Amino acid sequence: MKNKSFFTKSFYIFYVTFILLIVGAFYIFRTFDNTSSDIEKLTLQSNIVYISNIANNIAALINKKTDMQLMNTLQKSKALRESLQENLELFRTKRYRYIYVVQKIPRTEDFRFLLDGAKKEKSEFLEIFQPLNLQKWLGVYKTKEPCYFRHNDIKNLWLTYLQPIVQHNQVVAIIAIDFSLHEYNYMHHELSELSSSVKVFMSLLLFIFILVLILAFIDKKRVYLLQKQAKEIQHFNTTLQNKIDEEVEKNREKDKKILEQSRLAQMGEMLGMIAHQWRQPINAISATSITINMQAQMDILDAKSAISLAEKIEELTQHLSKTIDDFRDFFKPTKEQQNITYADLLASTLDIVGVSIQNKNITITTDIKSDVVFHTYVNELKQVLLNLIKNAEDVLEEKKITNAFIKIEAIENRLIVRDNGGGIPEDIIEKVFDPYFSTKTLNGTGLGLYMSKTIIENHCNGTLSVTNDADGAVFCIVLPQT
Amino acid sequence: MKLLFVLLIFFISVHADVYTQKLYETILGSIFKERPIPIFVSGEAKATLEKSTLFYIVKNCQESSVAVVGDDFTPKQECKNIPIFATTHRSYMRIEDAFGAFYWRKGRPQIYFRKRGLKMFHLNLPLDLQRFIDEK
Ligand SMILES: Nc1ncnc2c1ncn2[C@@H]1O[C@H](COP(=O)(O)OP(=O)(O)OP(=O)(O)O)[C@@H](O)[C@H]1O
Ligand SMILES: [Mg+2]
């Protein structure tokens, strides 16, 4: 959104600049046109001022040297004519192409040459002459004022300046000065060169501007594409995250299922253990009841011994009941974390499995060098320990190890369970924590270690690892200290 | 830019040249009726007249309808019956029988006709050229 507004903003800036540039260009062209026509006017004026001075001087000179009868005077004296013509020649330059003095032939509209300041193609004295723009020439005779006019039809001439020679308030002749086009063309050439360079410059500027505009547009497009890509990536990432979450969720479901399965399996085992636990008290109850029976038949059952025997049975049934409670507690998943030490954990676990293990001739020893109190899921932890003990028991039983033992050590925050069952073969040690991995052909679900690892590492934030030592497998639980 | 300038100058001069040719064609073409007009030419005008398709230049004065002459021309016996048209002021003045002239003076075209010459050869001027007849 921010980017978008930025782009529209910059676009407006470009747009406005573009308009300004075009307006500026038009303004410059207009000003230039005005200026060039001004220059033309100024040049014309300065030329006219200059030439009127010259023409005045020439007129004065001619007046001084001649009298009223200009034509007659000149006709009489060839020398005077020549000296005056030399004077005219002096003024003739590149700029002033022709300078000559003509006189109107009375009663006609033709003129005749009196003096000609030309070297080449010189007219003859009194040669007849038909000027163009005749009215202007006749006009000078009427107004007695100098005049000038432009040419469009005469080769190489720009304009003509006419200066009357006035004697006794009468125009006796006209000094005609024809301006060469050379000057005019030169000026025009310079101006048009200037104008063309201005035009080139302006169009270059416009071109550059348009180029910048196009580049900006391309860049905008590029940035847009980049943004689009970034968005796509982001979208991809979120969908990826979603997928991951989904997978994780699925995994969790699977774990739940697995947990259920393993719990069922453990139930079966538990029943076995309960059976072990109960055998001895049930035997004792049976023996007591037999004793009561025998004493009653032999009639030696007195009240005192009857009470004592009943109390014994009572005590034994209490024990049975307690065992059931213990097992029930054991399989209740803990909703909340509770405080426990390794010592308590071991005591309550061995309460349950201790008897069944000892019945299998396996020595179980504990060594507790830890009084750390953990705040954790106690029942789950018990199940882990139970699993480890069960696995050890399984391997010891399967391999029929003599002097079989299980040693449980607690050091600080570590709980180590070792046995002398020969360890886990190196080629499968990597896989024992995988779900459904089991080497047991009968009754092996392969979920025990997988569940244990999940409980320790995912729920209790600890680690569960396995190594082999000289005697057998060594499982190590490390719990975080709070 | 320079090239354009040169072209402009060139155009103007070419234009003037074409103008000269056009003037010869209108003047002579309105007086002499045959097409093309056989003309005898001497002097500067030759180059211009050669380009025109209206004229057909003959070497001999007698075969022509009109002799268009410049300063170098001297009236000969065989041209006696041929009307003469001058192309310079001087030749026009010198050859008194010349019926007319056309030349440039101070960048202005100068056209003149003499009554005497026109009469002599029974030439009729169209109306728009009659104002160039000099009255003497
Ligand atoms: N203490 C041990 N010594 C040697 N091998 C062991 C030991 N503990 C586990 N194993 C090996 O690891 C495998 C996986 O154990 P796990 O507890 O995950 O499954 P299981 O014991 O086979 O099945 P279940 O636990 O359901 O009876 C066992 O099959 C066994 O080969
Ligand atoms: Mg197991």
Side-chain angles (χ1 to χ4, degrees):
Chain A
M1 212 56 206
K2 211 170 183 179
N3 275 333
K4 202 179 163 191
S5 76
F6 169 74
F7 275 119
T8 43
K9 207 168 154 189
S10 64
F11 178 75
Y12 275 119
I13 290 172
F14 269 122
Y15 190 69
V16 167
T17 321
F18 186 68
I19 299 270
L20 283 181
L21 219 69
I22 285 181
V23 169
F26 271 107
Y27 179 74
I28 286 176
F29 285 139
R30 258 193 69 92
T31 335
F32 183 81
D33 274 355
N34 286 346
T35 314
S36 70
S37 74
D38 281 356
I39 289 174
E40 232 181 286
K41 256 184 225 155
L42 270 171
T43 316
L44 179 73
Q45 253 153 33
S46 71
N47 267 315
I48 294 301
V49 167
Y50 180 71
I51 207 66
S52 72
N53 286 335
I54 288 177
N56 264 324
N57 289 350
I58 295 170
L61 179 77
I62 292 171
N63 269 337
K64 210 174 108 187
K65 295 258 166 106
T66 60
D67 59 13
M68 176 80 171
Q69 287 302 309
L70 178 64
M71 192 198 95
N72 291 347
T73 322
L74 289 174
Q75 200 162 24
K76 267 177 224 155
S77 167
K78 200 182 175 192
L80 179 60
R81 241 155 55 204
E82 270 167 6
S83 90
L84 283 173
Q85 287 197 141
E86 264 168 33
N87 272 314
L88 290 184
E89 252 173 57
L90 285 181
F91 292 109
R92 209 180 48 77
T93 58
K94 232 190 212 168
R95 193 189 275 187
Y96 312 116
R97 200 174 165 87
Y98 308 120
I99 302 182
Y100 47 97
V101 178
V102 292
Q103 184 181 46
K104 199 170 96 69
I105 305 170
R107 291 176 306 278
T108 68
E109 290 191 334
D110 286 343
F111 287 74
R112 60 189 169 206
F113 282 101
L114 295 183
L115 298 167
D116 187 357
K119 260 189 181 140
K120 276 190 280 171
E121 293 175 32
K122 205 178 183 112
S123 61
E124 282 162 43
F125 183 60
L126 296 184
E127 180 184 323
I128 194 163
F129 179 61
Q130 295 173 331
L132 294 170
N133 304 77
L134 184 68
Q135 289 314 313
K136 301 263 183 195
W137 295 67
L138 296 177
V140 173
Y141 265 85
K142 262 183 221 148
T143 61
K144 295 165 198 162
E145 288 294 325
C147 85
Y148 63 87
F149 49 90
R150 277 163 166 277
H151 293 291
N152 295 315
D153 46 2
I154 302 186
K155 179 179 174 184
N156 291 339
L157 291 191
W158 173 24
L159 57 86
T160 293
Y161 182 86
L162 300 178
Q163 165 81 40
I165 300 175
V166 183
Q167 286 179 341
H168 303 289
N169 209 22
Q170 262 196 337
V171 177
V172 292
I174 291 176
I175 302 168
I177 299 168
D178 288 329
F179 280 59
S180 164
L181 252 186
H182 177 267
E183 169 106 348
Y184 179 78
N185 282 339
Y186 178 73
M187 187 177 73
H188 254 252
H189 166 63
E190 291 293 296
L191 281 175
S192 64
E193 197 135 272
L194 195 68
S195 118
S196 70
S197 48
V198 165
K199 272 169 196 164
V200 163
F201 176 72
M202 284 311 290
S203 28
L204 206 75
L205 214 69
L206 270 176
F207 174 73
I208 288 171
F209 184 79
I210 288 170
L211 204 76
V212 166
L213 210 68
I214 290 170
L215 284 181
F217 183 72
I218 290 171
D219 193 56
K220 187 179 153 185
K221 220 170 168 181
R222 195 178 59 84
V223 170
Y224 173 74
L225 280 178
L226 253 140
Q227 277 181 334
K228 206 172 147 188
Q229 273 175 8
K231 244 180 223 164
E232 268 167 16
I233 287 171
Q234 207 182 335
H235 179 245
F236 179 74
N237 276 350
T238 43
T239 48
L240 191 72
Q241 188 59 45
N242 285 346
K243 264 184 193 156
I244 288 171
D245 287 350
E246 244 168 57
E247 287 301 313
V248 166
E249 187 57 35
K250 265 188 202 161
N251 240 15
R252 206 164 280 154
E253 296 275 299
K254 202 173 91 187
D255 277 359
K256 237 176 173 177
K257 244 184 211 162
I258 289 170
L259 196 74
E260 223 101 272
Q261 285 179 347
S262 82
R263 203 164 269 154
L264 282 174
Q266 279 178 341
M267 287 283 219
E269 277 171 16
M270 276 311 138
L271 283 176
M273 283 182 227
I274 291 169
H276 277 295
Q277 294 274 48
W278 277 12
R279 188 165 297 143
Q280 194 259 337
I282 284 174
N283 281 344
I285 289 170
S286 169
T288 311
S289 86
I290 288 167
T291 310
I292 293 172
N293 198 348
M294 275 170 54
Q295 282 186 359
Q297 282 181 13
M298 290 154 74
D299 230 0
I300 52 166
L301 182 68
D302 55 22
K304 202 181 156 195
S305 59
I307 288 170
S308 122
L309 284 171
E311 273 175 355
K312 197 175 177 187
I313 291 173
E314 171 83 31
E315 199 180 297
L316 285 165
T317 42
Q318 286 283 332
H319 181 68
L320 290 181
S321 167
K322 188 182 166 282
T323 316
I324 290 290
D325 284 347
D326 278 357
F327 277 107
R328 208 182 48 205
D329 279 353
F330 197 94
F331 287 101
K332 235 191 238 160
T334 16
K335 295 248 162 57
E336 277 160 33
Q337 295 181 323
Q338 292 164 348
N339 288 338
I340 196 164
T341 58
Y342 279 142
D344 290 344
L345 182 72
L346 273 175
S348 57
T349 310
L350 289 182
D351 251 3
I352 292 166
V353 289
V355 183
S356 84
I357 286 173
Q358 274 154 17
N359 284 346
K360 289 175 182 166
N361 277 324
I362 297 168
T363 328
I364 185 154
T365 54
T366 57
D367 182 7
I368 293 165
K369 293 173 205 145
S370 158
D371 52 7
V372 183
V373 180
F374 301 99
H375 189 72
T376 188
Y377 298 101
V378 176
N379 274 356
E380 277 79 355
L381 208 53
K382 283 184 196 167
Q383 283 175 31
V384 172
L385 189 57
L386 194 70
N387 260 324
L388 298 182
I389 294 168
K390 264 304 278 180
N391 279 348
E393 186 196 316
D394 285 346
V395 72
L396 293 170
E397 211 187 356
E398 188 196 33
K399 292 193 178 168
K400 296 187 175 76
I401 305 287
T402 45
N403 299 325
F405 67 80
I406 299 171
K407 275 184 194 160
I408 304 174
E409 256 174 289
I411 308 162
E412 296 295 326
N413 61 337
R414 285 178 294 144
L415 186 73
I416 297 154
V417 181
R418 59 178 86 231
D419 60 63
N420 61 344
I424 308 166
E426 288 298 325
D427 54 328
I428 61 162
I429 197 164
E430 298 281 319
K431 298 182 201 159
V432 294
F433 293 110
D434 292 351
Y436 305 111
F437 177 82
S438 174
T439 54
K440 293 157 197 171
T441 41
L442 288 171
N443 305 324
T445 62
L447 293 174
L449 285 181
Y450 171 73
M451 275 313 305
S452 304
K453 194 158 179 96
T454 309
I455 288 165
I456 297 293
E457 300 197 341
N458 293 2
H459 299 178
C460 307
N461 293 324
T463 55
L464 172 63
S465 56
V466 65
T467 49
N468 285 321
D469 74 359
D471 299 319
V474 181
F475 286 87
C476 181
I477 296 168
V478 181
L479 287 182
Q481 262 167 307
T482 41
Chain B
M1 228 53 260
K2 215 131 217 158
L3 184 76
L4 214 76
F5 181 51
V6 169
L7 275 177
L8 188 81
I9 292 292
F10 181 71
F11 179 74
I12 285 173
S13 54
V14 163
H15 203 72
D17 237 34
V18 169
Y19 192 46
T20 310
Q21 186 189 321
K22 274 262 146 59
L23 277 173
Y24 275 122
E25 283 173 2
T26 33
I27 295 166
L28 297 176
S30 63
I31 298 170
F32 300 95
K33 298 302 171 202
E34 57 265 70
R35 292 291 178 274
I37 308 167
I39 54 169
F40 173 81
V41 187
S42 93
E44 301 86 336
K46 199 161 192 164
T48 316
L49 291 170
E50 265 171 0
K51 283 179 213 152
S52 174
T53 52
L54 189 71
F55 307 113
Y56 139 72
I57 296 171
V58 294
K59 286 211 177 91
N60 200 325
C61 191
Q62 273 174 318
E63 293 162 20
S64 67
S65 295
V66 57
V68 182
V69 301
D71 285 347
D72 59 338
F73 180 76
T74 41
K76 297 163 205 160
Q77 194 55 42
E78 69 256 34
C79 291
K80 196 104 195 189
N81 300 319
I82 304 297
I84 291 172
F85 188 76
T87 59
T88 65
H89 177 257
R90 190 174 297 163
S91 55
Y92 182 52
M93 287 295 133
R94 205 156 38 98
I95 307 162
E96 291 189 345
D97 289 346
F99 72 91
F102 164 60
Y103 56 87
W104 292 90
R105 184 60 82 217
K106 306 294 172 208
R108 283 103 169 150
Q110 307 288 315
I111 303 166
Y112 300 101
F113 292 106
R114 272 196 196 113
K115 260 202 174 126
R116 206 169 73 88
L118 292 169
K119 254 191 191 144
M120 217 162 94
F121 296 99
H122 308 288
L123 299 171
N124 287 319
L125 277 191
L127 221 63
D128 52 339
L129 285 181
Q130 278 178 16
R131 63 189 172 101
F132 294 108
I133 299 171
D134 84 51
E135 298 297 333
K136 280 183 290 175

